[in-house]
Amino acid sequence: MLLNYSQTGQGPNVVLIHGLFGSLDNLNIIAKALSEHFTVTNVDLRNHGHSFHDDAMDYPTMANDILALMDHLGITDTHLVGHSMGGKVAMQVAMLAEQRVNRLVVLDISPVAYHARHEAIIHGLNAVSKSPQLNSRSEADKLMAQDIDEPGVRQFLLKSLTKNSESRFTWRFNLAVIAANYNKITSNINETHSCLCDTLFIKGNNSDYILPEHKSAILRCFPKAKAKVINGAGHWLHAEKPQAVNRSIIDFLQ
């Protein structure tokens, strides 16, 4: 099975990979900017967006999904840009097929294992899934607010709320599989060797996803890694500071 994707632009190839609970729409602001210089392939990861649902969800498996799509599209080599979980998928692609990755951009994530930090989100999402009398998105928002304080996070999640064939609200992402594989999602990438592709890690200065103690792991995996900090941005740096992030990506890839 192939991942759902969209393509825009002309020029050297760039593949964009979104994060957990997201979809390709989340990176459209990057896709639009890059499409002026590159052929941009924006993907929905498995169990997300309009891509297929499957019980397996680990980084080598998700990386092989990207490689299979590249094969299908005739993309022999490409730049990769990934945010959060998508950044880990991009790093895993580079580990599995370094010769097919020209340059790698990782948005606000390290190759390390993380402590669980989405329990409240998963609880709130499950509350919506288990509510049989849900009549509107605003009701879903109020229900999630019992677990998820940040309105911006709830609005991001609500982008994946849709109606099924029975006109009941349901999540487009595969919540059950994501929850079952959460330990794999928060784990480190499968480090097979030191990848020598040119790599840029972009961090939001208000985010705690890339920390000083991650430096040794980053340089062990990607010895040629460089870093860029976006001031005034958190984990959702591409949404909070799109011009600065897009400029940093384009400058690095060109």
Side-chain angles (χ1 to χ4, degrees):
M1 291 181 285
L2 290 172
L3 299 176
N4 181 58
Y5 68 95
S6 66
Q7 271 192 328
T8 55
Q10 289 184 327
N13 283 295
V14 179
V15 175
L16 302 184
I17 312 174
H18 66 80
L20 183 62
F21 300 121
S23 70
L24 61 81
D25 291 343
N26 301 142
L27 299 186
N28 275 344
I29 195 165
I30 298 177
K32 183 177 180 180
L34 266 59
S35 66
E36 298 179 11
H37 311 276
F38 303 94
T39 298
V40 180
T41 304
N42 197 0
V43 305
D44 281 331
L45 290 171
R46 61 171 52 208
N47 296 312
H48 289 77
H50 293 284
S51 282
F52 59 89
H53 287 189
D54 188 85
D55 288 343
M57 198 168 177
D58 55 74
Y59 287 112
T61 298
M62 289 189 280
N64 276 309
D65 289 341
I66 299 294
L67 291 168
L69 180 63
M70 288 171 58
D71 290 342
H72 173 74
L73 296 174
I75 299 174
T76 56
D77 57 89
T78 186
H79 302 305
L80 292 177
V81 179
H83 172 247
S84 198
M85 181 184 75
K88 281 191 169 182
V89 175
M91 287 186 270
Q92 193 67 68
V93 173
M95 284 287 172
L96 292 177
E98 180 178 348
Q99 74 281 4
R100 301 188 67 177
V101 179
N102 296 324
R103 292 196 166 197
L104 171 64
V105 179
V106 179
L107 300 178
D108 211 59
I109 198 76
S110 293
V112 303
Y114 287 84
H115 295 297
R117 59 172 73 200
H118 296 90
E119 296 100 325
I121 289 176
I122 291 173
H123 191 271
L125 295 172
N126 271 318
V128 171
S129 295
K130 295 175 181 178
S131 178
Q133 304 299 327
L134 202 63
N135 295 312
S136 68
R137 302 174 75 83
S138 61
E139 288 184 12
D141 183 52
K142 290 178 182 178
L143 194 57
M144 285 195 296
Q146 298 176 26
D147 295 287
I148 306 167
D149 293 332
E150 302 90 338
V153 173
R154 298 198 305 272
Q155 290 306 307
F156 160 73
L157 295 167
L158 285 169
K159 291 179 180 179
S160 292
L161 188 66
T162 186
K163 284 189 175 182
N164 61 18
S165 59
E166 300 173 351
S167 295
R168 288 189 58 183
F169 281 105
T170 185
W171 295 112
R172 187 168 282 125
F173 44 71
N174 191 341
L175 179 57
V177 167
I178 290 172
N181 288 275
Y182 186 70
N183 287 341
K184 296 177 182 177
I185 294 168
T186 57
S187 71
N188 54 288
I189 66 169
N190 185 8
E191 181 184 342
T192 58
H193 67 288
S194 292
C195 180
L196 297 179
C197 59
D198 292 321
T199 304
L200 177 65
F201 284 80
I202 305 181
K203 167 185 167 58
N205 77 311
N206 295 327
S207 170
D208 62 354
Y209 275 79
I210 298 179
L211 297 172
E213 52 263 39
H214 299 163
K215 183 177 180 180
S216 61
I218 290 171
L219 291 177
R220 186 178 65 248
C221 293
F222 302 98
K224 297 175 70 175
K226 298 179 180 179
K228 171 77 175 181
V229 177
I230 304 297
N231 291 323
H235 186 57
W236 302 97
L237 63 173
H238 55 289
E240 297 167 5
K241 297 290 182 179
Q243 290 184 334
V245 171
N246 290 340
R247 187 73 263 160
S248 297
I249 294 171
I250 291 169
D251 287 348
F252 179 71
L253 296 184
Q254 288 185 323

